[in-house]
Amino acid sequence: MNVHLKRWLAVSGAAVVIAAGVVAGGSYWRLEGNLKTVDLTKEIGNARPPSTPGRPLNILLIGKDDGRSDTAMVVQLNAAGDQARVVSIPRDTMVPRPRCGTNPPAAIAMFNSAFSTGGAACTVATVEQMSGIRIDHFVQIDFNGFRDVIDRFGGVEINLPEPIDDDKSGLHVPAGPTKLDGTQALAFVRTRYSIGDGSDLNRIKNQQLFMRALSEKLANENWLASPQKTFALADILTKSIVTDEEIGSIAKLADLAGKLTALKPENITYVTLPTETYLPDPNRVQPKQPEADALWKAA
């Protein structure tokens, strides 16, 4: 669930309004007090992929939903800062899971079990192990906060290729243009069983469709014009997110915002980790090789 960037709520939308909060006088300390952080060095240690010059800045976005994470995306911002790629990782992907705190490693496990085993730090470690790339930062957002922020934005307009009538998520919307409020948006990014073959890959398509729509809204509307509106959004977001310690302050989040808000929507691409059926359990998938490794190396 999650993880946003000016083109994805968890990093950019969050960062934009948080940056606005920096100039809100005494409100700064209220926002600063809302933030919660995780020390990745303490949780993971130093046995991690190297941080080499000239490589992309990698930010893991995690959506937290009812104590688990079914949404994980890696935002890769190139060294020049003018192109980004968002890589979605299906929750049902079977991968090795490293040792997380006192929890022993698992030779093979569902990707989303990392979060339930050891929280965001374990998810970071699992992504690093499966991809070989260094995750510089993470932003975890609670889906209830996501819902409230979309309501503050006044909803998001999307164009649905087919109607959705899903009793599990509670979403019932026709095909074509429609505006989703916060509750509907949350149901939309959760929906999987009533679309396509009911797999997590179809839910990822919904999430990417929503991200594109949100990126256009944030690019076309000036959300910094009203200090009251931006502070209200920043207050919700800072209460709803957890980050690594390195960006765990308003000033550092604002610095990250400066890098991300320079992006144009057309300079962001969305891809999904290549997968194939996991033969021991056809309801699961595994990274498809050599395509999966090639994807991570191509950034």
Side-chain angles (χ1 to χ4, degrees):
M1 320 167 144
N2 321 339
V3 7
H4 298 178
L5 46 86
K6 184 179 180 183
R7 325 312 172 189
W8 170 229
L9 180 62
V11 176
S12 169
V16 169
V17 295
I18 288 171
V22 171
V23 298
S27 300
Y28 175 96
W29 299 112
R30 175 174 166 180
L31 298 179
E32 189 89 3
N34 288 342
L35 294 172
K36 299 175 285 295
T37 64
V38 172
D39 184 342
L40 289 180
T41 299
K42 179 180 178 181
E43 295 290 330
I44 301 177
N46 295 316
R48 304 176 62 192
S51 179
T52 55
R55 66 176 179 82
L57 180 70
N58 297 310
I59 305 161
L60 176 63
L61 310 181
I62 302 170
K64 178 176 177 287
D65 190 12
D66 297 329
R68 67 174 188 261
S69 173
D70 287 344
T71 302
M73 305 175 183
V74 179
V75 178
Q76 300 185 288
L77 178 66
N78 71 350
D82 59 358
Q83 299 281 335
R85 183 175 72 170
V86 181
V87 182
S88 296
I89 303 174
R91 52 154 279 177
D92 296 337
T93 307
M94 302 299 292
V95 296
R97 191 183 66 225
R99 178 179 296 277
C100 294
T102 60
N103 297 289
I108 196 77
M110 275 180 58
F111 173 76
N112 74 335
S113 73
F115 188 85
S116 57
T117 298
C122 190
T123 304
V124 168
T126 301
V127 172
E128 290 187 336
Q129 178 173 278
M130 67 185 284
S131 67
I133 67 170
R134 173 80 171 218
I135 297 297
D136 298 286
H137 305 296
F138 80 86
V139 178
Q140 170 192 314
I141 184 166
D142 183 89
F143 270 0
N144 288 327
F146 166 88
R147 176 198 61 207
D148 294 343
V149 166
I150 297 304
D151 279 337
R152 286 282 182 176
F153 279 139
V156 173
E157 293 184 0
I158 61 173
N159 192 2
L160 293 177
E162 60 182 293
I164 296 178
D165 189 18
D166 190 282
D167 291 332
K168 286 184 178 292
S169 68
L171 184 64
H172 305 278
V173 288
T178 188
K179 177 181 280 191
L180 303 179
D181 62 21
T183 298
Q184 291 173 317
L186 181 54
F188 183 66
V189 299
R190 284 172 165 166
T191 294
R192 64 180 289 187
Y193 295 106
S194 64
I195 54 176
D197 60 4
S199 73
D200 193 50
L201 298 178
N202 286 286
R203 173 163 51 190
I204 286 174
K205 290 178 182 178
N206 275 5
Q207 292 170 350
Q208 293 177 346
L209 175 63
F210 186 83
M211 289 163 61
R212 290 187 182 95
L214 180 60
S215 75
E216 293 294 335
K217 182 179 182 73
L218 292 173
N220 294 330
E221 299 180 15
N222 183 8
W223 287 96
L224 302 182
S226 168
Q228 288 183 332
K229 285 184 178 180
T230 52
F231 174 75
L233 284 166
D235 193 37
I236 293 171
L237 283 162
T238 51
K239 289 176 180 176
S240 302
I241 65 173
V242 180
T243 73
D244 59 284
E245 278 195 347
E246 289 189 16
I247 55 168
S249 70
I250 298 301
K252 290 177 180 177
L253 284 170
D255 180 65
L256 179 62
K259 297 175 181 177
L260 296 172
T261 55
L263 290 167
K264 298 178 180 179
E266 60 268 26
N267 289 342
I268 303 167
T269 58
Y270 301 90
V271 298
T272 302
L273 180 72
T275 59
E276 61 187 2
T277 301
Y278 177 65
L279 293 180
D281 183 349
N283 293 317
R284 304 287 179 256
V285 296
Q286 63 186 15
K288 184 179 181 181
Q289 300 297 356
E291 290 86 346
D293 284 348
L295 173 71
W296 295 118
K297 292 175 181 176

